[in-house]
Amino acid sequence: AQTQEPDRVAVLGRSNLDLLTRDLADRLRELVSDRRIETFALPFGQLDQQVLDPGSDLHGFAPDFVLFADRIEDLMGGRPLDLCDPGDVHARVEEHAVLIRNYRQQRAGWIAICRFASLAASATPDQANAGLVARANAVLEDALADQDQIAWIDTATEAALCEGSAVDMRLWHIGRIPYTTAFAQRLARKAAGVYLAANGRTVRLVVLDLDNTLWGGVLGEDGIEGIAIGGDYPGNAFSQFQKALAQLSERGIALAVASKNDEDLALKALTEHPEVMIRPELLVDHAIGWTPKAEGIARMANALNLGLASVMFIDDSPVECEAVRRSLPDVKTVELPKDPAEFARILGENPLLAVNEIT
């Protein structure tokens, strides 16, 4: 059942952010089932007034979590970077930082900030715009370096991974909408991850299958020498996935294994295969054998004193995933696609694996 008091989320900027606000609300309602989510988007062009006026609708809404989603062009009144004086850009970025600091002084809670990126096509050579954007980001981050509970969203990386363009100038001219639908959804997913991490709702333990998940092939049939990891495709895709998992471990997310395999052979492969990165010492526990995986997952979670809602199970088998969903509905079950080249991307894009701070 949902609690009475809602979580309040505000999306702040100088352009029309209704689309991004709606996408963030949809994503949070999908991920957070036990709380009501209320969102607030500013009327167009009212960012400064709403932040600076303690009696504004924004402060009356009293958000628990805020996303500052301005592009650098929005700070410049919508002008393309080609037409902006670098000194003017610098001054506007400093003003933007002062505004965020002002907001922070009035309200506690986590703030997510979109880094600036060169998203729109222009007549200026890319390196000129890139240099201007890099300096703007440095100014903003330096100005906010002493502020607590701030998380940065790497807009340029999200744009590079977005299917299609990040900006549609037709949307901008018609409705001052800064981002395409596809890109707004990417930003919403990243912001949702910051929110989940801020509220202790991200995954603490990732439980992994072995065959066709950590490596290609079936260990019991192919032997240690026959499994696919490293070298050419598909082995290199499994290596990339293992590297991404190792990075999760470095960020404080625990790893474990639940696999239907011969335990001695599986541990030998994890220990001795030269290309394996997820060694037994990186695992907090394992359940390798022929009992149902749900039993092993429940046992490991209990041993680690973790609620099942803090556990994610990753497997390539639809049958195994469905069995875990039925037995342990609170566990976040991720069914991998057929192509291992997609594994690392799926891991990196999952908001349930976000980390705001590394202790």
Side-chain angles (χ1 to χ4, degrees), residues 120-198:
S122 69
T124 304
D126 285 345
Q127 57 266 34
N129 278 351
L132 183 59
V133 169
R135 290 190 294 275
N137 278 324
V139 169
L140 184 62
E141 293 180 35
D142 287 348
L144 298 172
D146 62 338
Q147 299 295 296
D148 294 329
Q149 294 189 318
I150 285 181
W152 297 92
I153 294 177
D154 195 335
T155 311
T157 297
E158 295 306 308
L161 295 172
C162 183
E163 293 185 12
S165 300
V167 174
D168 182 338
M169 292 310 297
R170 185 171 181 273
L171 289 176
W172 173 254
H173 291 308
I174 290 173
R176 289 297 185 259
I177 299 170
Y179 304 122
T180 61
T181 299
F183 192 61
Q185 289 172 348
R186 289 199 68 90
L187 289 182
R189 183 163 53 221
K190 296 301 288 190
V194 178
Y195 165 92
L196 292 171

Side-chain angles (χ1 to χ4, degrees), residues 66-274:
V66 164
L67 169 64
F68 280 90
D70 269 329
R71 304 170 302 158
I72 198 167
E73 292 89 349
D74 299 321
L75 273 59
M76 308 309 296
R79 283 180 291 154
L81 289 184
D82 311 66
L83 305 179
C84 297
D85 176 74
D88 193 17
V89 172
H90 184 103
R92 294 292 179 89
V93 172
E94 287 186 327
E95 292 170 4
H96 187 57
V98 169
L99 191 72
I100 295 173
R101 291 180 70 96
N102 188 295
Y103 176 83
R104 161 56 79 228
Q105 289 167 7
Q106 297 180 69
R107 296 213 61 82
W110 275 88
I111 296 173
I113 305 172
C114 291
R115 286 192 176 94
F116 302 126
S118 184
L119 302 178
S122 69
T124 304
D126 285 345
Q127 57 266 34
N129 278 351
L132 183 59
V133 169
R135 290 190 294 275
N137 278 324
V139 169
L140 184 62
E141 293 180 35
D142 287 348
L144 298 172
D146 62 338
Q147 299 295 296
D148 294 329
Q149 294 189 318
I150 285 181
W152 297 92
I153 294 177
D154 195 335
T155 311
T157 297
E158 295 306 308
L161 295 172
C162 183
E163 293 185 12
S165 300
V167 174
D168 182 338
M169 292 310 297
R170 185 171 181 273
L171 289 176
W172 173 254
H173 291 308
I174 290 173
R176 289 297 185 259
I177 299 170
Y179 304 122
T180 61
T181 299
F183 192 61
Q185 289 172 348
R186 289 199 68 90
L187 289 182
R189 183 163 53 221
K190 296 301 288 190
V194 178
Y195 165 92
L196 292 171
N199 287 277
R201 291 173 171 270
T202 46
V203 165
R204 304 284 303 282
L205 172 68
V206 173
V207 181
L208 300 148
D209 177 40
L210 292 177
D211 294 333
N212 292 311
T213 298
L214 273 194
W215 51 62
V218 177
L219 181 62
E221 299 173 4
D222 302 318
I224 294 176
E225 298 80 10
I227 59 176
I229 181 169
D232 297 329
Y233 180 86
N236 51 9
F238 288 101
S239 292
Q240 184 187 29
F241 184 51
Q242 288 204 18
K243 182 177 181 180
L245 289 165
Q247 289 171 343
L248 287 186
S249 178
E250 292 170 1
R251 286 159 42 196
I253 295 174
L255 304 179
V257 162
S259 172
K260 289 183 177 176
N261 251 306
D262 177 84
E263 182 176 8
D264 291 340
L265 182 61
L267 292 174
K268 184 178 175 67
L270 290 168
T271 302
E272 297 183 5
H273 195 292

Side-chain angles (χ1 to χ4, degrees), residues 7-124:
D7 279 6
R8 299 180 176 88
V9 176
V11 180
L12 306 183
R14 294 169 174 82
S15 53
N16 182 350
L17 295 170
D18 289 348
L19 180 65
L20 176 58
T21 305
R22 184 199 69 200
D23 288 337
L24 179 55
D26 288 346
R27 182 52 59 102
L28 289 176
R29 287 168 186 146
E30 171 191 322
L31 292 165
V32 181
S33 59
D34 61 337
R35 293 188 72 86
R36 286 187 297 123
I37 303 293
E38 292 184 2
T39 55
F40 178 90
L42 290 176
F44 178 76
Q46 291 191 18
L47 176 63
D48 293 72
Q49 303 96 296
Q50 292 274 343
V51 170
L52 297 174
D53 178 8
S56 68
D57 292 341
L58 170 63
H59 290 292
F61 179 72
D64 306 295
F65 173 80
V66 164
L67 169 64
F68 280 90
D70 269 329
R71 304 170 302 158
I72 198 167
E73 292 89 349
D74 299 321
L75 273 59
M76 308 309 296
R79 283 180 291 154
L81 289 184
D82 311 66
L83 305 179
C84 297
D85 176 74
D88 193 17
V89 172
H90 184 103
R92 294 292 179 89
V93 172
E94 287 186 327
E95 292 170 4
H96 187 57
V98 169
L99 191 72
I100 295 173
R101 291 180 70 96
N102 188 295
Y103 176 83
R104 161 56 79 228
Q105 289 167 7
Q106 297 180 69
R107 296 213 61 82
W110 275 88
I111 296 173
I113 305 172
C114 291
R115 286 192 176 94
F116 302 126
S118 184
L119 302 178
S122 69
T124 304

Side-chain angles (χ1 to χ4, degrees), residues 310-332:
S310 298
V311 179
M312 177 178 287
F313 171 60
I314 300 178
D315 200 314
D316 68 295
S317 166
V319 174
E320 294 290 358
C321 288
E322 182 59 24
V324 170
R325 288 191 191 101
R326 287 178 178 275
S327 297
L328 305 173
D330 288 343
V331 169
K332 277 68 175 181

